[in-house]
Amino acid sequence: MENLIAIEHLTYGYEERPVLEDISLGIAPRDFILVIGPNGGGKTTLLKLILGILTPWSGTIRFHGETGGRLGYVPQSARFNRTFPISVFDMVLTGCIRADNYLKRHTREDEEKTGVILEKLALYGKRNDNITDLSGGQLQRVLIARSLVSEPLALFLDEPTTAMDATSQTDLLDLLTELQERMSVMVVTHDPTPYAQAYRHIACLNTHLYFHERGELDSATLERVYGCPVEILGHGIPHTLLAAHGEEEKLP
């Protein structure tokens, strides 16, 4: 099956220091990929390169079909400006803005799609609220709704469970499992264990990328990525164990 997104030999850094070196990764249709690694290892940078926010020093990112114009992105809510005066409905409606329509008024179809996605994420009752009045979990759902209203073929989430309580996390995981039936999902996270039932591949990223099939994850493997002892908590679900990080495992 042809990948939706093919990343080949990608290198990027800040000033003269490389953050990502020779990264190759294929994102298949309806894949669910976890990206784990230490702070500063390049996880968010990789997302920004895929989304076109940053331009790589070298290497290529190729999109197949219409995928390049249909990418959804959910940033960390902690980095989002919550003081901006906008309602929940209008915030989600901004997800309908594209490069070919950003100077035009939104359409009735845009408004209808926004209402549907708000209903689906149990946010319709909050549609007229200002985002400054939302809890952390509610704001995260609004950001997810904004990314979904454009009907993307691939969805990228950066630490989506930040500021969420246990119930909201469970609801999010159920939603991602449902979404995976019609789109690819990539999640940047520090804690892979809540996703153990859903993910298909896991990418360990710390300047270099090591790509793994679904398996079991142990502390010894994570120690190679994080460079320090790592303790795994099970949360009552199966662990995953990754194979050793040999040179041959850098490419998917």
Side-chain angles (χ1 to χ4, degrees):
M1 182 181 299
E2 187 177 45
N3 288 322
L4 284 176
I5 303 172
I7 302 167
E8 297 178 352
H9 306 296
L10 199 68
T11 296
Y12 182 82
Y14 299 98
E15 297 179 351
E16 296 183 358
R17 184 178 69 87
V19 175
L20 300 175
E21 291 189 33
D22 198 26
I23 301 296
S24 292
L25 174 68
I27 301 176
R30 295 180 298 280
D31 206 347
F32 194 129
I33 301 175
L34 296 183
V35 182
I36 66 171
N39 290 331
K43 302 186 300 299
T44 298
T45 297
L46 177 61
L47 293 191
K48 290 181 177 180
L49 287 163
I50 296 172
L51 295 165
I53 299 172
L54 299 174
T55 301
W57 287 355
S58 62
T60 60
I61 302 175
R62 292 184 291 107
F63 301 95
H64 298 283
E66 299 179 356
T67 311
R70 297 179 61 185
L71 305 180
Y73 174 50
V74 183
Q76 292 186 38
S77 61
R79 298 180 179 177
F80 184 79
N81 181 9
R82 298 190 59 173
T83 64
F84 191 79
I86 189 172
S87 70
V88 168
F89 189 91
D90 288 341
M91 177 68 180
V92 176
L93 191 60
T94 63
C96 296
I97 297 174
R98 304 184 306 274
D100 61 350
N101 74 351
Y102 70 97
L103 293 178
K104 300 178 182 178
R105 286 184 58 83
H106 57 260
T107 65
R108 182 178 296 275
E109 181 184 1
D110 292 336
E111 293 181 346
E112 291 174 351
K113 288 195 298 184
T114 297
V116 168
I117 198 64
L118 286 172
E119 188 75 45
K120 187 172 186 61
L121 293 185
L123 289 167
Y124 194 77
K126 296 282 186 180
R127 65 190 182 281
N128 296 319
D129 291 5
N130 194 290
I131 61 169
T132 59
D133 299 324
L134 301 179
S135 68
Q138 289 170 337
L139 176 59
Q140 192 73 321
R141 280 188 287 148
V142 169
L143 295 176
I144 292 171
R146 183 183 65 168
S147 71
L148 294 178
V149 74
S150 62
E151 301 177 338
L153 293 179
L155 179 64
F156 301 86
L157 304 97
D158 195 352
E159 298 287 356
T161 58
T162 301
M164 280 190 172
D165 57 28
T167 299
S168 297
Q169 288 188 29
T170 299
D171 292 343
L172 171 63
L173 295 175
D174 289 342
L175 173 63
L176 294 181
T177 300
E178 178 186 340
L179 291 174
Q180 188 203 355
E181 296 178 1
R182 62 179 185 274
M183 67 182 68
S184 300
V185 176
M186 175 178 279
V187 177
V188 166
T189 181
H190 281 97
D191 183 9
T193 50
Y195 303 93
Q197 304 288 2
Y199 83 90
R200 292 185 177 178
H201 298 98
I202 191 164
C204 301
L205 183 60
N206 188 1
T207 304
H208 299 283
L209 184 143
Y210 303 91
F211 195 77
H212 299 272
E213 299 286 340
R214 183 179 180 85
E216 298 247 335
L217 181 67
D218 69 352
S219 297
T221 302
L222 289 181
E223 188 171 335
R224 297 187 184 97
V225 178
Y226 286 89
C228 63
V230 177
E231 188 172 319
I232 297 292
L233 299 179
H235 302 301
I237 56 180
H239 289 339
T240 49
L241 174 63
L242 303 182
H245 288 164
E247 287 299 314
E248 71 281 357
E249 293 179 82
K250 288 186 181 181
L251 303 181

